Amino acid sequence: TAALPLNGTCVNHAPVVAAPDALSLAFDMPSQLFVSVADADLAYSSDAAAFTVEATLTCTNCSIAVSGHAEFDNGYAACYAVDGAACACGASVIAGHIDTVNARLAALEVRGFVASDTLHVSVSDLGHEHGAAEAGTADVALATSGTEPVVSMFANTSFSVAQDQVVVVADVAV
C-alpha cells in the first residue's frame, strides 16, 4: 500500500437565508416576519462559540421591529448589536452569535406603509477562519392593503385665522 498526500483548501460557504417570498400586510399593522439563517461553516468552525454573523435589513417604505426591543425605522441608521459584537450602522443591522441573531430574526415584525415594497435581507458570515466574508441574501415582496386612517375632527375643533386670510376645510361632513 502507498500513502497518497491529500491536500485540501478550506472554503468559506455563504450563509443561507430562509425567508418568505412575499408577505401581505395591513397598513401600519405589525406582521410577523419569519427569517432564519444557517451556515454550513458552523459545523467546521474551530470556535463555534464565537461564530458571529451580521444581518442587514433594508426597505424603502417599511418599518422593522424586533419584539421587545426599540423599533428599527428604515429612515434612520439603526444598529442592534447582540453578544457585545460591534456592527456597521447605516441600515437595520442585527449582529452577534448566529444562534442569538436567529432568535432576534425569529422575533421580527414588519409594518407596511405603501402598496408595495421589498424587504432586502443580507447576512454576512464575516469571513471567520475560512477566507473572505460571504453573504447570503433574500428579498421579501411586501404587499400592503388599506390606507392611512382618516383624521377625525370633533365638534369643538377650532381654527385660528389671521385677518384677511383664507381657510379651506375640505371634505367636511355634518
Side-chain angles (χ1 to χ4, degrees), residues 45-169:
S45 177
S46 61
D47 190 4
F51 199 88
T52 56
V53 296
E54 183 175 274
T56 303
L57 301 102
T58 57
C59 56
T60 305
N61 294 293
C62 74
S63 178
I64 306 160
V66 176
S67 291
H69 297 282
E71 187 168 9
F72 291 136
D73 183 344
N74 199 56
Y76 302 95
C79 183
Y80 187 81
V82 294
D83 297 339
C87 59
C89 294
S92 298
V93 177
I94 303 172
H97 188 273
I98 190 169
D99 293 338
T100 308
V101 169
N102 268 325
R104 298 296 187 266
L105 290 172
L108 283 180
E109 291 180 344
V110 64
R111 291 175 184 247
F113 299 102
V114 296
S116 65
D117 200 353
T118 301
L119 174 67
H120 304 284
V121 181
S122 177
V123 179
S124 171
D125 64 9
L126 306 175
H128 300 288
E129 68 262 21
H130 298 298
E134 295 285 339
T137 62
D139 287 338
V140 181
L142 303 176
T144 302
S145 62
T147 59
E148 188 169 358
V150 175
V151 176
S152 298
M153 293 189 326
F154 299 97
N156 293 332
T157 300
S158 63
F159 297 95
S160 296
V161 181
Q163 182 176 344
D164 297 326
Q165 297 298 310
V166 176
V167 172
V168 177
V169 179

